[in-house]
Amino acid sequence: MYNKEECVAMLLAGGQGSRLYTLTEKTAKPAVPFGAKYRIIDFTLSNCVNSGIDTVGVLTQYQPLVLNEYIGNGQPWDLDRMNGGVMVLPPYQGSKSADWYKGTANAIYQNLNFINRYDPDYVLILSGDHIYKMDYNAMLEYHKKMNSAATIAVINVPLEQASRFGIMNTDENNKIVEFEEKPKEPKSTKASMGIYIFNRSLLAKYLEADENNPESSNDFGKNIIPAMLDAGEPMYAYEFSGYWKDVGTIQSLWEANMDLLGDNPVFNLFDDDWRIYTRSEVRPPHYIGNDAKVINSIVTEGCEVHGIVENSLLFGGVKVARGAYIKNSIVMQDTVIREGASVYYSIVDGDTEVGAGTKIGNETSDGSKITLIGSDLVIPHGAIVPEGAMVNSQYLEKNKN
């Protein structure tokens, strides 16, 4: 028997993340490392805990092994509960059939039994690939105050960017009167953040109707929200004004990491009132050598720096040799940068070795072309990797001297 929960969170973490190229060849997008110490999913899970929501279903599908192992029993996020806590929910064999999740709505539909066992009044739907801090409890209180059937978190974006998002058109009370998916001529700048709160009974009703519609693509934005609007259900936009970044591309992932740097960072990791929890292995303290120089950078435990690191983030166990120079870059766990190598405007995945004298990226870049180096690679001594290159084992084989 499970105790009743007022609100259960369902975290959609099954996307393929193909625009992150080699970073998601072996792992799901929410498990991609971020911020020298974290993984992307840490931010959504931490938001749940900090908001007092302690029953979370994580819906996995694509390359789930690393993500499943990372979440484990949920202890790092204080989600190892006797009742509730965090549970990984892959597609499974049901009594009638076994299906991959066909869309965001179908993924929730397949897990209605998990939701119902806690008998919640409300269901919070989240994505696992955004970087932000948000009090979901404040959004829930707004949902209840407005007597809403569904509440959608929105963030105001520049008008010239609005056509890239699902846009909510509202009246003066923020009641949603129209939803437009990536409109060519947007009437509003209220972009959906992919964060929804539904009344549980209504959600189940619309999910079941959607599942029985063979023409549906089983998606919240394309099907469920329009269906509820057409039926006249009261739906409201909840305006969010803090930092929020979709890190689904190499460029946006690099930009979000850079937003962590500086005396007054755009996104502050060092906030005692809203801690970001993570599963991190115990390593020795980082070491900065006599000849080293570290400027405006985040350097995590276990690193050894003997070269120059500027405006960059180093994950645990990174080794930077004497004479090496890293600038405006992200270097992931246990990577070795050999003597005299230079890395500019790049993301270097974990367990890779950058050979002595190698040059990666372009020092004079404007940051619009980020170089990506995959994991478990050995970049030969003296190699030159141009800005914007996407380097994996096939690239190295093709470009051998």
Side-chain angles (χ1 to χ4, degrees):
M1 184 68 183
Y2 294 90
N3 295 332
K4 177 178 173 60
E5 297 281 347
E6 181 183 30
C7 183
V8 165
M10 301 294 280
L11 201 165
L12 296 162
Q16 187 169 344
S18 58
R19 293 180 298 165
L20 290 177
Y21 300 97
T22 62
L23 295 179
T24 50
E25 280 184 354
K26 301 174 185 176
T27 188
K29 181 164 57 172
V32 167
F34 179 84
K37 189 180 180 74
Y38 307 93
R39 293 182 186 260
I40 294 170
I41 198 171
D42 285 334
F43 293 83
T44 312
L45 289 176
S46 297
N47 286 342
C48 288
V49 173
N50 290 327
S51 301
I53 294 172
D54 57 19
T55 299
V56 184
V58 180
L59 285 66
T60 63
Q61 181 158 280
Y62 172 80
Q63 293 282 21
L65 183 61
V66 173
L67 185 59
N68 294 357
E69 183 179 67
Y70 183 71
I71 292 172
N73 67 355
Q75 187 272 333
W77 305 273
D78 192 29
L79 288 172
D80 54 335
R81 306 296 179 95
M82 291 293 291
N83 182 76
V86 66
M87 184 175 292
V88 175
L89 301 170
Y92 63 92
Q93 175 76 51
S95 58
K96 296 180 181 178
S97 65
D99 275 322
W100 289 108
Y101 296 144
K102 292 179 287 186
T104 53
N106 174 259
I108 302 299
Y109 172 81
Q110 287 198 41
N111 287 283
L112 283 174
N113 285 341
F114 171 82
I115 295 170
N116 292 338
R117 67 205 294 198
Y118 298 100
D119 192 26
D121 298 315
Y122 309 102
V123 180
L124 170 66
I125 311 292
L126 303 166
S127 296
D129 52 3
H130 299 147
I131 302 296
Y132 65 113
K133 301 174 192 172
M134 182 177 182
D135 185 351
Y136 301 138
N137 188 59
M139 181 177 173
L140 178 59
E141 291 303 312
Y142 176 84
H143 175 87
K144 291 189 284 188
K145 174 186 172 184
M146 304 307 289
N147 197 25
S148 181
T151 298
I152 299 169
V154 298
I155 189 165
N156 278 296
V157 297
L159 183 61
E160 61 270 18
Q161 296 180 20
S163 59
R164 294 167 38 205
F165 296 90
I167 296 296
M168 302 293 161
N169 300 322
T170 64
D171 66 13
E172 65 277 6
N173 297 315
N174 259 359
K175 185 176 183 181
I176 299 169
V177 296
E178 184 182 21
F179 171 71
E180 296 181 287
E181 183 68 39
K182 298 180 179 178
K184 290 183 179 179
E185 296 183 5
K187 304 170 190 172
S188 159
T189 59
K190 293 177 181 177
S192 171
M193 298 168 65
I195 300 169
Y196 315 116
I197 293 178
F198 292 92
N199 294 343
R200 194 251 305 207
S201 56
L202 271 177
L203 175 64
K205 170 186 169 183
Y206 282 94
L207 286 177
E208 287 166 6
D210 182 71
E211 189 66 20
N212 291 323
N213 177 5
E215 304 299 317
S216 176
S217 54
N218 306 122
D219 183 83
F220 275 102
K222 295 176 183 175
N223 305 110
I224 301 298
I225 293 168
M228 293 182 73
L229 279 174
D230 289 345
E233 302 286 1
M235 303 171 69
Y236 286 84
Y238 176 77
E239 294 198 51
F240 177 71
S241 58
Y243 180 94
W244 177 83
K245 191 94 168 180
D246 182 337
V247 288
T249 66
I250 293 297
Q251 186 69 34
S252 63
L253 179 64
W254 179 83
E255 289 172 358
N257 274 276
M258 293 298 118
D259 285 342
L260 305 176
L261 302 176
D263 293 336
N264 295 294
V266 179
F267 185 70
N268 184 13
L269 286 177
F270 306 96
D271 182 355
D272 292 335
D273 295 328
W274 201 268
R275 182 180 166 191
I276 305 301
Y277 299 87
T278 186
R279 179 187 298 280
S280 113
E281 58 187 307
V282 177
R283 293 179 183 261
H286 64 262
Y287 174 76
I288 309 298
N290 280 333
D291 300 324
K293 186 182 287 186
V294 179
I295 306 163
N296 191 41
S297 297
I298 294 176
V299 179
T300 320
E301 62 267 22
C303 291
E304 286 184 39
V305 180
H306 299 277
I308 298 174
V309 178
E310 183 177 354
N311 211 59
S312 296
L313 299 95
L314 306 187
F315 282 72
V318 169
K319 291 179 172 56
V320 182
R322 187 173 283 102
Y325 188 17
I326 301 171
K327 185 175 181 180
N328 295 316
S329 294
I330 302 145
V331 183
M332 296 184 181
Q333 65 282 349
D334 297 312
T335 284
V336 177
I337 312 295
R338 297 294 184 193
E339 295 81 358
S342 57
V343 180
Y344 306 113
Y345 291 95
S346 298
I347 299 175
V348 184
D349 205 350
D351 298 291
T352 280
E353 178 180 330
V354 176
T358 291
K359 182 181 177 183
I360 297 175
N362 180 5
E363 183 177 10
T364 61
S365 171
D366 61 2
S368 62
K369 292 182 179 179
I370 302 305
T371 307
L372 176 63
I373 309 294
S375 64
D376 300 293
L377 299 178
V378 176
I379 310 300
H381 299 327
I384 297 177
V385 180
E387 66 174 332
M390 301 290 166
V391 178
N392 55 17
S393 55
Q394 290 82 8
Y395 177 99
L396 293 178
E397 183 66 26
K398 182 180 177 182
N399 289 277
K400 277 200 305 190
N401 292 332

